[in-house]
């Protein structure tokens, strides 16, 4: 599977997580979405093109309408043009991530539902993040649910799940060995990072960490990890 499609699929998966997720996870997932854009030349070019010359302060004035009275609630809208939807939501993500806008204040101001962050976030995700995600997906049809790269992504995710399970077992095995304190400390640094990389589908990060783990096993003179490395080799062929 070409690296560029892996990166796009990862971004779309984070958007899926945002659409179906909760307010409590949203800040971290928005950061993950922006990180996925930064790691993808295709997505960087896409969002660079739609935001070039884009007047976001003017867009906020046009599409984020404050309440007419102090007791009222504001309303938020999306632009009509698809490229402007991409620019507008992407710029919102950037301002959430940098702290210029705070998601909790934003939700209660423009997507207020009974004072509930959970319900307000669900409304925001449905009205803004979902259309944004769908437009990006339309830009890359091979990454859609029926595209060849989406099918490959399903296979890749299954292997990543197996790797995460094996890493949990491997961690327990390593910590049962008669290692020195500093060696156990190194293992305790490696395994959470390995498991997290598999969990967030960061294939390149996982491979880099597995290379480090291979040297760790040599250092402690242990011949284990064969199943994990075999699964990693399988992952490279998808």
């Amino acid at each position: 599977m070409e690296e560029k499609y892996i990166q796009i699929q990862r971004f779309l998966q984070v958007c899926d997580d945002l659409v179906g997720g909760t307010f409590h996870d949203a800040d971290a997932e928005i950061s993950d979405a922006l990180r996925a854009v930064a790691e993808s030349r295709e997505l960087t070019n896409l969002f660079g093109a739609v935001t070039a010359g884009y007047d976001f302060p003017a867009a906020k004035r046009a599409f984020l309408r404050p309440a007419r009275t102090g007791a009222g609630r504001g309303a938020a809208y999306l632009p009509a043009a698809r490229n402007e939807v991409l620019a507008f939501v992407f710029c919102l993500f950037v301002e959430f991530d940098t702290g210029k806008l705070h998601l909790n204040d934003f939700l209660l101001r423009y997507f207020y539902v009974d004072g509930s962050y959970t319900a307000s976030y669900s409304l925001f995700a449905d009205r803004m993040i979902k259309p944004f995600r769908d437009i990006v997906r339309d830009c890359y049809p091979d990454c859609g649910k029926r595209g060849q790269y989406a099918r490959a992504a399903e296979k890749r995710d299954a292997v990543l799940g197996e790797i995460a399970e094996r890493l949990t077992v491997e961690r327990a095995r390593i910590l049962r060995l008669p290692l020195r304190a500093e060696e156990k400390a190194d293992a305790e640094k490696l395994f959470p990072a390995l498991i997290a990389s598999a969990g967030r589908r960061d294939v390149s990060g996982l491979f880099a960490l597995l290379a480090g783990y291979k040297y760790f096993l040599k250092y402690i003179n242990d011949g284990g990890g064969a199943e994990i490395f075999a699964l990693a080799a399988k992952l490279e062929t998808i």
Side-chain angles (χ1 to χ4, degrees), residues 9-26:
Q9 192 68 40
R10 182 181 169 209
F11 172 77
L12 290 171
Q13 181 60 58
V14 176
C15 289
D16 286 345
D17 293 342
L18 278 163
V19 170
T22 67
F23 165 74
H24 297 291
D25 297 325

mmCIF file of all heavy atoms in Angstrom, residues 9-26:
data_model
loop_
_atom_site.group_PDB
_atom_site.id
_atom_site.type_symbol
_atom_site.label_atom_id
_atom_site.label_comp_id
_atom_site.label_asym_id
_atom_site.label_seq_id
_atom_site.Cartn_x
_atom_site.Cartn_y
_atom_site.Cartn_z
ATOM 1 N N GLN A 9 -5.493 7.730 4.689
ATOM 2 C CA GLN A 9 -6.428 6.860 5.404
ATOM 3 C C GLN A 9 -6.346 7.094 6.900
ATOM 4 O O GLN A 9 -7.368 7.078 7.603
ATOM 5 C CB GLN A 9 -6.119 5.393 5.078
ATOM 6 C CG GLN A 9 -7.198 4.420 5.526
ATOM 7 C CD GLN A 9 -8.483 4.584 4.750
ATOM 8 O OE1 GLN A 9 -8.461 4.792 3.557
ATOM 9 N NE2 GLN A 9 -9.616 4.497 5.433
ATOM 10 N N ARG A 10 -5.148 7.336 7.384
ATOM 11 C CA ARG A 10 -4.991 7.618 8.814
ATOM 12 C C ARG A 10 -5.729 8.906 9.184
ATOM 13 O O ARG A 10 -6.413 8.974 10.212
ATOM 14 C CB ARG A 10 -3.501 7.744 9.154
ATOM 15 C CG ARG A 10 -3.253 7.978 10.635
ATOM 16 C CD ARG A 10 -1.778 8.109 10.919
ATOM 17 N NE ARG A 10 -1.560 8.597 12.275
ATOM 18 C CZ ARG A 10 -0.521 9.315 12.654
ATOM 19 N NH1 ARG A 10 0.402 9.644 11.792
ATOM 20 N NH2 ARG A 10 -0.397 9.717 13.902
ATOM 21 N N PHE A 11 -5.607 9.932 8.364
ATOM 22 C CA PHE A 11 -6.310 11.187 8.627
ATOM 23 C C PHE A 11 -7.822 10.969 8.626
ATOM 24 O O PHE A 11 -8.532 11.458 9.512
ATOM 25 C CB PHE A 11 -5.934 12.223 7.568
ATOM 26 C CG PHE A 11 -6.747 13.482 7.637
ATOM 27 C CD1 PHE A 11 -6.493 14.444 8.599
ATOM 28 C CD2 PHE A 11 -7.782 13.705 6.743
ATOM 29 C CE1 PHE A 11 -7.250 15.606 8.680
ATOM 30 C CE2 PHE A 11 -8.553 14.859 6.805
ATOM 31 C CZ PHE A 11 -8.278 15.813 7.781
ATOM 32 N N LEU A 12 -8.308 10.225 7.645
ATOM 33 C CA LEU A 12 -9.747 9.970 7.568
ATOM 34 C C LEU A 12 -10.234 9.158 8.765
ATOM 35 O O LEU A 12 -11.351 9.372 9.251
ATOM 36 C CB LEU A 12 -10.080 9.251 6.261
ATOM 37 C CG LEU A 12 -9.927 10.096 4.991
ATOM 38 C CD1 LEU A 12 -10.075 9.223 3.753
ATOM 39 C CD2 LEU A 12 -10.937 11.232 4.966
ATOM 40 N N GLN A 13 -9.398 8.258 9.251
ATOM 41 C CA GLN A 13 -9.787 7.485 10.428
ATOM 42 C C GLN A 13 -9.893 8.378 11.657
ATOM 43 O O GLN A 13 -10.814 8.238 12.469
ATOM 44 C CB GLN A 13 -8.764 6.367 10.689
ATOM 45 C CG GLN A 13 -9.110 5.493 11.889
ATOM 46 C CD GLN A 13 -10.451 4.803 11.741
ATOM 47 O OE1 GLN A 13 -10.666 4.073 10.785
ATOM 48 N NE2 GLN A 13 -11.359 5.032 12.688
ATOM 49 N N VAL A 14 -8.962 9.340 11.785
ATOM 50 C CA VAL A 14 -9.052 10.282 12.907
ATOM 51 C C VAL A 14 -10.335 11.106 12.787
ATOM 52 O O VAL A 14 -11.015 11.371 13.783
ATOM 53 C CB VAL A 14 -7.816 11.198 12.961
ATOM 54 C CG1 VAL A 14 -7.969 12.239 14.075
ATOM 55 C CG2 VAL A 14 -6.549 10.395 13.198
ATOM 56 N N CYS A 15 -10.679 11.504 11.559
ATOM 57 C CA CYS A 15 -11.938 12.240 11.362
ATOM 58 C C CYS A 15 -13.135 11.385 11.725
ATOM 59 O O CYS A 15 -14.103 11.878 12.327
ATOM 60 C CB CYS A 15 -12.039 12.726 9.915
ATOM 61 S SG CYS A 15 -10.900 14.071 9.502
ATOM 62 N N ASP A 16 -13.091 10.101 11.374
ATOM 63 C CA ASP A 16 -14.164 9.178 11.788
ATOM 64 C C ASP A 16 -14.271 9.138 13.310
ATOM 65 O O ASP A 16 -15.373 9.127 13.875
ATOM 66 C CB ASP A 16 -13.889 7.768 11.262
ATOM 67 C CG ASP A 16 -14.131 7.627 9.772
ATOM 68 O OD1 ASP A 16 -14.774 8.509 9.181
ATOM 69 O OD2 ASP A 16 -13.653 6.627 9.201
ATOM 70 N N ASP A 17 -13.105 9.107 13.966
ATOM 71 C CA ASP A 17 -13.095 9.074 15.431
ATOM 72 C C ASP A 17 -13.703 10.357 16.002
ATOM 73 O O ASP A 17 -14.421 10.324 17.010
ATOM 74 C CB ASP A 17 -11.669 8.907 15.947
ATOM 75 C CG ASP A 17 -11.068 7.547 15.602
ATOM 76 O OD1 ASP A 17 -11.836 6.626 15.275
ATOM 77 O OD2 ASP A 17 -9.828 7.420 15.643
ATOM 78 N N LEU A 18 -13.422 11.490 15.356
ATOM 79 C CA LEU A 18 -13.995 12.760 15.803
ATOM 80 C C LEU A 18 -15.511 12.777 15.620
ATOM 81 O O LEU A 18 -16.250 13.230 16.494
ATOM 82 C CB LEU A 18 -13.367 13.922 15.026
ATOM 83 C CG LEU A 18 -12.010 14.414 15.518
ATOM 84 C CD1 LEU A 18 -11.324 15.253 14.446
ATOM 85 C CD2 LEU A 18 -12.160 15.227 16.805
ATOM 86 N N VAL A 19 -15.973 12.277 14.483
ATOM 87 C CA VAL A 19 -17.414 12.284 14.202
ATOM 88 C C VAL A 19 -18.158 11.370 15.177
ATOM 89 O O VAL A 19 -19.236 11.712 15.675
ATOM 90 C CB VAL A 19 -17.685 11.864 12.737
ATOM 91 C CG1 VAL A 19 -19.176 11.641 12.500
ATOM 92 C CG2 VAL A 19 -17.159 12.932 11.780
ATOM 93 N N GLY A 20 -17.595 10.220 15.453
ATOM 94 C CA GLY A 20 -18.276 9.265 16.320
ATOM 95 C C GLY A 20 -17.836 9.314 17.770
ATOM 96 O O GLY A 20 -18.303 8.525 18.577
ATOM 97 N N GLY A 21 -16.954 10.265 18.090
ATOM 98 C CA GLY A 21 -16.363 10.296 19.414
ATOM 99 C C GLY A 21 -17.072 11.212 20.392
ATOM 100 O O GLY A 21 -18.234 11.580 20.207
ATOM 101 N N THR A 22 -16.347 11.597 21.424
ATOM 102 C CA THR A 22 -16.919 12.388 22.507
ATOM 103 C C THR A 22 -16.147 13.679 22.705
ATOM 104 O O THR A 22 -14.996 13.808 22.262
ATOM 105 C CB THR A 22 -16.892 11.603 23.830
ATOM 106 O OG1 THR A 22 -15.515 11.430 24.239
ATOM 107 C CG2 THR A 22 -17.563 10.248 23.676
ATOM 108 N N PHE A 23 -16.751 14.592 23.398
ATOM 109 C CA PHE A 23 -16.130 15.869 23.725
ATOM 110 C C PHE A 23 -14.811 15.668 24.470
ATOM 111 O O PHE A 23 -13.832 16.372 24.222
ATOM 112 C CB PHE A 23 -17.090 16.710 24.570
ATOM 113 C CG PHE A 23 -16.440 17.873 25.263
ATOM 114 C CD1 PHE A 23 -16.057 18.999 24.548
ATOM 115 C CD2 PHE A 23 -16.196 17.836 26.633
ATOM 116 C CE1 PHE A 23 -15.438 20.063 25.178
ATOM 117 C CE2 PHE A 23 -15.593 18.892 27.269
ATOM 118 C CZ PHE A 23 -15.212 20.017 26.538
ATOM 119 N N HIS A 24 -14.760 14.697 25.367
ATOM 120 C CA HIS A 24 -13.580 14.504 26.205
ATOM 121 C C HIS A 24 -12.349 14.104 25.395
ATOM 122 O O HIS A 24 -11.217 14.397 25.797
ATOM 123 C CB HIS A 24 -13.865 13.457 27.279
ATOM 124 C CG HIS A 24 -14.943 13.873 28.233
ATOM 125 N ND1 HIS A 24 -14.774 14.898 29.140
ATOM 126 C CD2 HIS A 24 -16.221 13.433 28.409
ATOM 127 C CE1 HIS A 24 -15.874 15.063 29.838
ATOM 128 N NE2 HIS A 24 -16.779 14.192 29.413
ATOM 129 N N ASP A 25 -12.544 13.451 24.263
ATOM 130 C CA ASP A 25 -11.417 13.020 23.435
ATOM 131 C C ASP A 25 -11.115 13.990 22.299
ATOM 132 O O ASP A 25 -10.111 13.827 21.601
ATOM 133 C CB ASP A 25 -11.711 11.638 22.828
ATOM 134 C CG ASP A 25 -11.868 10.566 23.884
ATOM 135 O OD1 ASP A 25 -11.171 10.647 24.909
ATOM 136 O OD2 ASP A 25 -12.696 9.648 23.688
ATOM 137 N N ALA A 26 -11.969 14.972 22.088
ATOM 138 C CA ALA A 26 -11.907 15.781 20.874
ATOM 139 C C ALA A 26 -10.623 16.586 20.749
ATOM 140 O O ALA A 26 -10.034 16.657 19.664
ATOM 141 C CB ALA A 26 -13.122 16.705 20.793
#
